mmCIF file of all heavy atoms in Angstrom:
data_model
loop_
_atom_site.group_PDB
_atom_site.id
_atom_site.type_symbol
_atom_site.label_atom_id
_atom_site.label_comp_id
_atom_site.label_asym_id
_atom_site.label_seq_id
_atom_site.Cartn_x
_atom_site.Cartn_y
_atom_site.Cartn_z
ATOM 1 N N LEU A 17 26.854 28.590 -29.362
ATOM 2 C CA LEU A 17 26.731 27.470 -28.423
ATOM 3 C C LEU A 17 25.641 26.494 -28.877
ATOM 4 O O LEU A 17 25.828 25.274 -28.830
ATOM 5 C CB LEU A 17 26.428 27.986 -27.015
ATOM 6 C CG LEU A 17 27.577 28.701 -26.311
ATOM 7 C CD1 LEU A 17 27.090 29.390 -25.044
ATOM 8 C CD2 LEU A 17 28.699 27.726 -25.983
ATOM 9 N N ASN A 18 24.505 27.029 -29.327
ATOM 10 C CA ASN A 18 23.407 26.172 -29.790
ATOM 11 C C ASN A 18 23.798 25.393 -31.040
ATOM 12 O O ASN A 18 23.486 24.202 -31.164
ATOM 13 C CB ASN A 18 22.150 27.006 -30.045
ATOM 14 C CG ASN A 18 21.552 27.542 -28.757
ATOM 15 O OD1 ASN A 18 21.713 26.956 -27.694
ATOM 16 N ND2 ASN A 18 20.859 28.669 -28.851
ATOM 17 N N GLU A 19 24.482 26.065 -31.973
ATOM 18 C CA GLU A 19 24.920 25.387 -33.194
ATOM 19 C C GLU A 19 25.923 24.284 -32.877
ATOM 20 O O GLU A 19 25.855 23.193 -33.445
ATOM 21 C CB GLU A 19 25.548 26.396 -34.163
ATOM 22 C CG GLU A 19 24.555 27.347 -34.786
ATOM 23 C CD GLU A 19 25.227 28.448 -35.594
ATOM 24 O OE1 GLU A 19 26.484 28.545 -35.573
ATOM 25 O OE2 GLU A 19 24.495 29.224 -36.240
ATOM 26 N N ALA A 20 26.841 24.562 -31.980
ATOM 27 C CA ALA A 20 27.839 23.559 -31.607
ATOM 28 C C ALA A 20 27.178 22.353 -30.943
ATOM 29 O O ALA A 20 27.539 21.204 -31.227
ATOM 30 C CB ALA A 20 28.883 24.172 -30.685
ATOM 31 N N GLU A 21 26.215 22.616 -30.091
ATOM 32 C CA GLU A 21 25.504 21.512 -29.430
ATOM 33 C C GLU A 21 24.790 20.652 -30.466
ATOM 34 O O GLU A 21 24.821 19.426 -30.388
ATOM 35 C CB GLU A 21 24.512 22.068 -28.408
ATOM 36 C CG GLU A 21 23.807 20.985 -27.635
ATOM 37 C CD GLU A 21 22.844 21.524 -26.579
ATOM 38 O OE1 GLU A 21 22.757 22.754 -26.412
ATOM 39 O OE2 GLU A 21 22.182 20.696 -25.943
ATOM 40 N N ALA A 22 24.161 21.298 -31.443
ATOM 41 C CA ALA A 22 23.462 20.561 -32.495
ATOM 42 C C ALA A 22 24.432 19.703 -33.314
ATOM 43 O O ALA A 22 24.064 18.637 -33.810
ATOM 44 C CB ALA A 22 22.718 21.539 -33.403
ATOM 45 N N ARG A 23 25.669 20.135 -33.448
ATOM 46 C CA ARG A 23 26.692 19.381 -34.191
ATOM 47 C C ARG A 23 27.340 18.295 -33.342
ATOM 48 O O ARG A 23 28.198 17.558 -33.823
ATOM 49 C CB ARG A 23 27.802 20.325 -34.661
ATOM 50 C CG ARG A 23 27.429 21.245 -35.749
ATOM 51 C CD ARG A 23 28.701 21.972 -36.221
ATOM 52 N NE ARG A 23 28.320 23.113 -36.991
ATOM 53 C CZ ARG A 23 28.704 24.367 -36.774
ATOM 54 N NH1 ARG A 23 29.541 24.642 -35.800
ATOM 55 N NH2 ARG A 23 28.287 25.337 -37.526
ATOM 56 N N GLY A 24 27.039 18.280 -32.069
ATOM 57 C CA GLY A 24 27.660 17.300 -31.179
ATOM 58 C C GLY A 24 29.036 17.725 -30.701
ATOM 59 O O GLY A 24 29.837 16.893 -30.289
ATOM 60 N N GLU A 25 29.304 19.032 -30.738
ATOM 61 C CA GLU A 25 30.595 19.538 -30.285
ATOM 62 C C GLU A 25 30.531 19.876 -28.801
ATOM 63 O O GLU A 25 29.470 20.142 -28.253
ATOM 64 C CB GLU A 25 30.993 20.788 -31.080
ATOM 65 C CG GLU A 25 31.246 20.522 -32.544
ATOM 66 C CD GLU A 25 31.578 21.779 -33.312
ATOM 67 O OE1 GLU A 25 30.966 22.834 -33.061
ATOM 68 O OE2 GLU A 25 32.455 21.704 -34.183
ATOM 69 N N TYR A 26 31.701 19.887 -28.188
ATOM 70 C CA TYR A 26 31.825 20.210 -26.770
ATOM 71 C C TYR A 26 32.553 21.542 -26.620
ATOM 72 O O TYR A 26 33.508 21.805 -27.342
ATOM 73 C CB TYR A 26 32.617 19.128 -26.032
ATOM 74 C CG TYR A 26 31.941 17.791 -26.040
ATOM 75 C CD1 TYR A 26 32.152 16.889 -27.082
ATOM 76 C CD2 TYR A 26 31.081 17.428 -25.017
ATOM 77 C CE1 TYR A 26 31.524 15.653 -27.092
ATOM 78 C CE2 TYR A 26 30.454 16.197 -25.015
ATOM 79 C CZ TYR A 26 30.671 15.316 -26.059
ATOM 80 O OH TYR A 26 30.056 14.102 -26.057
ATOM 81 N N LEU A 27 32.101 22.337 -25.667
ATOM 82 C CA LEU A 27 32.768 23.598 -25.363
ATOM 83 C C LEU A 27 34.027 23.286 -24.556
ATOM 84 O O LEU A 27 33.956 22.682 -23.489
ATOM 85 C CB LEU A 27 31.846 24.526 -24.575
ATOM 86 C CG LEU A 27 32.432 25.872 -24.158
ATOM 87 C CD1 LEU A 27 32.770 26.719 -25.379
ATOM 88 C CD2 LEU A 27 31.456 26.615 -23.257
ATOM 89 N N ILE A 28 35.174 23.694 -25.077
ATOM 90 C CA ILE A 28 36.445 23.459 -24.415
ATOM 91 C C ILE A 28 36.892 24.690 -23.641
ATOM 92 O O ILE A 28 37.412 24.593 -22.537
ATOM 93 C CB ILE A 28 37.539 23.074 -25.447
ATOM 94 C CG1 ILE A 28 37.113 21.859 -26.253
ATOM 95 C CG2 ILE A 28 38.878 22.858 -24.780
ATOM 96 C CD1 ILE A 28 36.884 20.600 -25.447
ATOM 97 N N GLU A 29 36.678 25.879 -24.236
ATOM 98 C CA GLU A 29 37.109 27.117 -23.594
ATOM 99 C C GLU A 29 36.153 28.240 -23.953
ATOM 100 O O GLU A 29 35.696 28.341 -25.085
ATOM 101 C CB GLU A 29 38.526 27.482 -24.040
ATOM 102 C CG GLU A 29 39.107 28.676 -23.321
ATOM 103 C CD GLU A 29 40.570 28.930 -23.699
ATOM 104 O OE1 GLU A 29 41.211 28.043 -24.261
ATOM 105 O OE2 GLU A 29 41.039 30.040 -23.419
ATOM 106 N N ASP A 30 35.853 29.084 -22.991
ATOM 107 C CA ASP A 30 35.008 30.267 -23.165
ATOM 108 C C ASP A 30 35.794 31.438 -22.587
ATOM 109 O O ASP A 30 35.906 31.564 -21.371
ATOM 110 C CB ASP A 30 33.689 30.068 -22.415
ATOM 111 C CG ASP A 30 32.704 31.200 -22.606
ATOM 112 O OD1 ASP A 30 33.074 32.244 -23.195
ATOM 113 O OD2 ASP A 30 31.556 31.055 -22.165
ATOM 114 N N ALA A 31 36.375 32.259 -23.473
ATOM 115 C CA ALA A 31 37.287 33.304 -23.009
ATOM 116 C C ALA A 31 36.775 34.693 -23.366
ATOM 117 O O ALA A 31 36.257 34.927 -24.446
ATOM 118 C CB ALA A 31 38.665 33.105 -23.624
ATOM 119 N N ILE A 32 36.927 35.597 -22.404
ATOM 120 C CA ILE A 32 36.670 37.014 -22.628
ATOM 121 C C ILE A 32 37.941 37.745 -22.216
ATOM 122 O O ILE A 32 38.249 37.847 -21.037
ATOM 123 C CB ILE A 32 35.462 37.510 -21.813
ATOM 124 C CG1 ILE A 32 34.210 36.745 -22.221
ATOM 125 C CG2 ILE A 32 35.276 39.011 -22.009
ATOM 126 C CD1 ILE A 32 32.989 37.079 -21.394
ATOM 127 N N LEU A 33 38.671 38.208 -23.228
ATOM 128 C CA LEU A 33 39.919 38.915 -22.996
ATOM 129 C C LEU A 33 39.700 40.404 -23.229
ATOM 130 O O LEU A 33 38.609 40.836 -23.601
ATOM 131 C CB LEU A 33 41.003 38.380 -23.937
ATOM 132 C CG LEU A 33 41.213 36.856 -23.889
ATOM 133 C CD1 LEU A 33 42.238 36.431 -24.920
ATOM 134 C CD2 LEU A 33 41.606 36.407 -22.501
ATOM 135 N N LEU A 34 40.718 41.180 -23.052
ATOM 136 C CA LEU A 34 40.617 42.620 -23.228
ATOM 137 C C LEU A 34 40.146 42.995 -24.629
ATOM 138 O O LEU A 34 39.257 43.830 -24.790
ATOM 139 C CB LEU A 34 41.980 43.271 -22.932
ATOM 140 C CG LEU A 34 42.010 44.789 -22.923
ATOM 141 C CD1 LEU A 34 41.064 45.348 -21.871
ATOM 142 C CD2 LEU A 34 43.426 45.278 -22.655
ATOM 143 N N ASN A 35 40.713 42.372 -25.659
ATOM 144 C CA ASN A 35 40.386 42.726 -27.038
ATOM 145 C C ASN A 35 39.707 41.611 -27.819
ATOM 146 O O ASN A 35 39.586 41.708 -29.036
ATOM 147 C CB ASN A 35 41.668 43.126 -27.791
ATOM 148 C CG ASN A 35 42.322 44.342 -27.190
ATOM 149 O OD1 ASN A 35 41.642 45.264 -26.760
ATOM 150 N ND2 ASN A 35 43.638 44.333 -27.127
ATOM 151 N N GLU A 36 39.293 40.555 -27.150
ATOM 152 C CA GLU A 36 38.787 39.401 -27.877
ATOM 153 C C GLU A 36 37.840 38.583 -27.010
ATOM 154 O O GLU A 36 38.071 38.396 -25.823
ATOM 155 C CB GLU A 36 39.982 38.548 -28.320
ATOM 156 C CG GLU A 36 39.641 37.347 -29.119
ATOM 157 C CD GLU A 36 40.878 36.547 -29.520
ATOM 158 O OE1 GLU A 36 41.899 36.583 -28.798
ATOM 159 O OE2 GLU A 36 40.814 35.869 -30.546
ATOM 160 N N LYS A 37 36.774 38.088 -27.652
ATOM 161 C CA LYS A 37 35.860 37.128 -27.022
ATOM 162 C C LYS A 37 35.817 35.928 -27.954
ATOM 163 O O LYS A 37 35.613 36.074 -29.157
ATOM 164 C CB LYS A 37 34.457 37.706 -26.896
ATOM 165 C CG LYS A 37 34.346 38.907 -25.990
ATOM 166 C CD LYS A 37 32.916 39.425 -26.004
ATOM 167 C CE LYS A 37 32.797 40.699 -25.195
ATOM 168 N NZ LYS A 37 31.429 41.225 -25.244
ATOM 169 N N TYR A 38 36.030 34.739 -27.394
ATOM 170 C CA TYR A 38 36.009 33.575 -28.267
ATOM 171 C C TYR A 38 35.562 32.329 -27.520
ATOM 172 O O TYR A 38 35.593 32.262 -26.293
ATOM 173 C CB TYR A 38 37.364 33.339 -28.928
ATOM 174 C CG TYR A 38 38.482 32.980 -27.981
ATOM 175 C CD1 TYR A 38 38.711 31.665 -27.601
ATOM 176 C CD2 TYR A 38 39.342 33.958 -27.487
ATOM 177 C CE1 TYR A 38 39.747 31.336 -26.745
ATOM 178 C CE2 TYR A 38 40.391 33.639 -26.638
ATOM 179 C CZ TYR A 38 40.585 32.321 -26.270
ATOM 180 O OH TYR A 38 41.611 31.996 -25.422
ATOM 181 N N LEU A 39 35.158 31.347 -28.327
ATOM 182 C CA LEU A 39 34.794 30.020 -27.838
ATOM 183 C C LEU A 39 35.651 29.016 -28.593
ATOM 184 O O LEU A 39 35.938 29.205 -29.779
ATOM 185 C CB LEU A 39 33.318 29.735 -28.113
ATOM 186 C CG LEU A 39 32.309 30.720 -27.529
ATOM 187 C CD1 LEU A 39 30.928 30.458 -28.101
ATOM 188 C CD2 LEU A 39 32.289 30.635 -26.027
ATOM 189 N N ILE A 40 36.046 27.972 -27.913
ATOM 190 C CA ILE A 40 36.757 26.877 -28.573
ATOM 191 C C ILE A 40 35.919 25.619 -28.391
ATOM 192 O O ILE A 40 35.501 25.290 -27.274
ATOM 193 C CB ILE A 40 38.172 26.678 -27.996
ATOM 194 C CG1 ILE A 40 39.024 27.915 -28.299
ATOM 195 C CG2 ILE A 40 38.821 25.411 -28.579
ATOM 196 C CD1 ILE A 40 40.436 27.838 -27.773
ATOM 197 N N PHE A 41 35.667 24.946 -29.503
ATOM 198 C CA PHE A 41 34.871 23.725 -29.517
ATOM 199 C C PHE A 41 35.707 22.572 -30.033
ATOM 200 O O PHE A 41 36.645 22.753 -30.799
ATOM 201 C CB PHE A 41 33.654 23.883 -30.437
ATOM 202 C CG PHE A 41 32.723 24.977 -30.037
ATOM 203 C CD1 PHE A 41 32.754 26.203 -30.683
ATOM 204 C CD2 PHE A 41 31.803 24.796 -29.015
ATOM 205 C CE1 PHE A 41 31.887 27.227 -30.325
ATOM 206 C CE2 PHE A 41 30.939 25.812 -28.641
ATOM 207 C CZ PHE A 41 30.980 27.026 -29.305
ATOM 208 N N ASP A 42 35.314 21.360 -29.621
ATOM 209 C CA ASP A 42 35.955 20.155 -30.140
ATOM 210 C C ASP A 42 34.898 19.073 -30.240
ATOM 211 O O ASP A 42 33.860 19.123 -29.564
ATOM 212 C CB ASP A 42 37.086 19.707 -29.208
ATOM 213 C CG ASP A 42 38.064 18.765 -29.891
ATOM 214 O OD1 ASP A 42 37.803 18.329 -31.034
ATOM 215 O OD2 ASP A 42 39.103 18.465 -29.291
ATOM 216 N N THR A 43 35.158 18.078 -31.082
ATOM 217 C CA THR A 43 34.214 16.977 -31.237
ATOM 218 C C THR A 43 34.377 15.924 -30.154
ATOM 219 O O THR A 43 33.494 15.096 -29.960
ATOM 220 C CB THR A 43 34.380 16.318 -32.619
ATOM 221 O OG1 THR A 43 35.745 15.936 -32.776
ATOM 222 C CG2 THR A 43 33.990 17.273 -33.732
ATOM 223 N N ALA A 44 35.490 15.970 -29.443
ATOM 224 C CA ALA A 44 35.725 15.039 -28.333
ATOM 225 C C ALA A 44 35.444 15.759 -27.017
ATOM 226 O O ALA A 44 35.731 16.945 -26.883
ATOM 227 C CB ALA A 44 37.164 14.551 -28.350
ATOM 228 N N PRO A 45 34.882 15.048 -26.050
ATOM 229 C CA PRO A 45 34.630 15.694 -24.757
ATOM 230 C C PRO A 45 35.940 16.088 -24.089
ATOM 231 O O PRO A 45 36.979 15.468 -24.328
ATOM 232 C CB PRO A 45 33.906 14.620 -23.942
ATOM 233 C CG PRO A 45 34.193 13.341 -24.619
ATOM 234 C CD PRO A 45 34.497 13.651 -26.057
ATOM 235 N N PRO A 46 35.903 17.134 -23.255
ATOM 236 C CA PRO A 46 37.121 17.538 -22.555
ATOM 237 C C PRO A 46 37.617 16.414 -21.652
ATOM 238 O O PRO A 46 36.828 15.706 -21.032
ATOM 239 C CB PRO A 46 36.702 18.752 -21.730
ATOM 240 C CG PRO A 46 35.273 19.004 -22.022
ATOM 241 C CD PRO A 46 34.758 17.941 -22.931
ATOM 242 N N GLN A 47 38.922 16.243 -21.611
ATOM 243 C CA GLN A 47 39.526 15.212 -20.778
ATOM 244 C C GLN A 47 39.849 15.787 -19.401
ATOM 245 O O GLN A 47 40.286 16.927 -19.292
ATOM 246 C CB GLN A 47 40.819 14.707 -21.419
ATOM 247 C CG GLN A 47 40.604 14.060 -22.767
ATOM 248 C CD GLN A 47 39.821 12.768 -22.666
ATOM 249 O OE1 GLN A 47 40.016 11.981 -21.751
ATOM 250 N NE2 GLN A 47 38.914 12.560 -23.589
ATOM 251 N N ALA A 48 39.641 14.987 -18.407
ATOM 252 C CA ALA A 48 40.027 15.400 -17.052
ATOM 253 C C ALA A 48 41.547 15.461 -16.999
ATOM 254 O O ALA A 48 42.229 14.608 -17.570
ATOM 255 C CB ALA A 48 39.509 14.404 -16.027
ATOM 256 N N PRO A 49 42.080 16.468 -16.344
ATOM 257 C CA PRO A 49 43.539 16.552 -16.263
ATOM 258 C C PRO A 49 44.111 15.349 -15.508
ATOM 259 O O PRO A 49 43.534 14.890 -14.527
ATOM 260 C CB PRO A 49 43.795 17.848 -15.505
ATOM 261 C CG PRO A 49 42.505 18.221 -14.868
ATOM 262 C CD PRO A 49 41.416 17.532 -15.625
ATOM 263 N N GLN A 50 45.226 14.838 -15.996
ATOM 264 C CA GLN A 50 45.882 13.703 -15.363
ATOM 265 C C GLN A 50 46.685 14.196 -14.164
ATOM 266 O O GLN A 50 47.306 15.251 -14.221
ATOM 267 C CB GLN A 50 46.818 13.017 -16.367
ATOM 268 C CG GLN A 50 46.085 12.437 -17.559
ATOM 269 C CD GLN A 50 45.118 11.344 -17.157
ATOM 270 O OE1 GLN A 50 45.442 10.488 -16.327
ATOM 271 N NE2 GLN A 50 43.931 11.358 -17.716
ATOM 272 N N PRO A 51 46.666 13.439 -13.081
ATOM 273 C CA PRO A 51 47.441 13.866 -11.907
ATOM 274 C C PRO A 51 48.943 13.825 -12.198
ATOM 275 O O PRO A 51 49.412 12.976 -12.951
ATOM 276 C CB PRO A 51 47.060 12.851 -10.834
ATOM 277 C CG PRO A 51 46.520 11.677 -11.567
ATOM 278 C CD PRO A 51 45.972 12.190 -12.865
ATOM 279 N N THR A 52 49.652 14.745 -11.583
ATOM 280 C CA THR A 52 51.110 14.774 -11.726
ATOM 281 C C THR A 52 51.711 13.683 -10.843
ATOM 282 O O THR A 52 51.047 13.175 -9.931
ATOM 283 C CB THR A 52 51.673 16.138 -11.283
ATOM 284 O OG1 THR A 52 51.433 16.289 -9.880
ATOM 285 C CG2 THR A 52 51.041 17.287 -12.055
#
């Protein structure tokens, strides 16, 4: 998380699954979901 912040990346997803823990980062900020 600290390294990503230093790179200017945004946290998109923080998942803890049964067999896996992962983070997803992107250089663009997360977009608000568009209304249906």
